[in-house]
Structures are given as structure tokens and as C-alpha cells.
Amino acid sequence: MMLFTEVRGLPVLSADGDRRLGAVTSLTVDAPSGTVSHLRFRAGRLRGETVLAWDAVRSLGPGAARVAPVTPADAVPPGHELLGRRVLTEEGVERGTVLDVAFDPRDGRVLALFTTRGELPADRMTGLGDHALVVRTS
């Protein structure tokens, strides 16, 4: 298990570890499936963000993310940042703000959401957009 806050800032290396490609900026989550779908990183402050599909991540650990060769993506989903996102139920009831997310670094499965109002099971996520993370009430 790893936390999103542990991943942010990790070096991104080529799969063989020979080249440093940048540093992780965020992880994109597909809320309905409850999995990490993309890893996002920058090579420098003035460089654009590179987005890789999760299946291009060869390994992810406390020291670095190792990734397959970077190729231009066909269709990149919007990158809604989950950390700091407001949490609402399907009925529109405020359920706090996301502080951190636990996930399995091997398969990208989200395990739990840690919010300002306590822990939420990942299987309650239904959608993530510009305004909020939407969760089922039970």
C-alpha cells in the first residue's frame, strides 16, 4: 500500500533506470472503477506535463517510479486532482475534503480515501469532476 502524498515528487525513471524523466506531479483516478488510470509528471518547472497510462508504469515504490518508453498519448483524460477535492454524496451532502488516498502500487487499485471527516471505502466513489468527488452514501 502507498499513499498519494508519498508518490507526489518521486523521480520518474526509464524502465532500465538509466534516465531520469522528471518528477511525479499527480495520479489520475477513474472513480467508477476505483483505480489509478494515469501517472502525470513534469521534467521541469517550465516543461509541460507528461501523462502516461497506468499500464506504462513498470514499478512504483518509495524511491521512484519506473516507466515504459514515453510515447505521445492518443486521448488523455482531464486530470482532476483528487487530493484537496471536496467530497459530496449523490444527494449533495458535504462529506469533507480528501486529505490522502491509499492505493495498491502494483495494480493501481484505490483502497481507501482519507478525508477531513474520516475514512471512506474506495468502492463508494461514483464520479470525479471539476467541482467534487461524488460518493455513494452507503
Side-chain angles (χ1 to χ4, degrees):
M1 176 187 86
M2 284 188 79
L3 299 173
F4 275 29
T5 54
E6 294 173 324
V7 174
R8 191 183 288 168
L10 281 178
V12 176
L13 307 174
S14 58
D16 58 12
D18 287 345
R19 285 187 326 138
R20 181 184 167 107
L21 304 174
V24 176
T25 54
S26 66
L27 299 173
T28 301
V29 171
D30 176 56
S33 71
T35 60
V36 175
S37 62
H38 292 82
L39 178 136
R40 295 171 182 270
F41 69 93
R42 284 189 190 275
R45 289 184 137 196
L46 302 176
R47 301 259 175 117
E49 189 172 62
T50 300
V51 182
L52 291 177
W54 184 254
D55 60 5
V57 176
R58 297 296 177 244
S59 68
L60 180 64
R66 293 182 190 266
V67 299
V70 177
T71 58
D74 295 330
V76 178
H80 299 296
E81 178 69 44
L82 194 52
L83 298 179
R85 183 73 55 201
R86 183 177 178 195
V87 180
L88 298 174
T89 66
E90 293 170 313
E91 294 81 26
V93 176
E94 178 84 32
R95 297 294 300 163
T97 303
V98 177
L99 298 173
D100 216 336
V101 179
F103 73 106
D104 185 331
R106 292 170 298 181
D107 61 10
R109 187 172 44 94
V110 176
L111 305 171
L113 303 161
F114 302 105
T115 74
T116 54
R117 305 220 14 226
E119 185 177 334
L120 288 172
D123 64 356
R124 294 198 23 211
M125 292 187 297
T126 62
L128 176 61
D130 291 333
H131 183 65
L133 169 67
V134 178
V135 296
R136 284 188 295 281
T137 51
S138 59

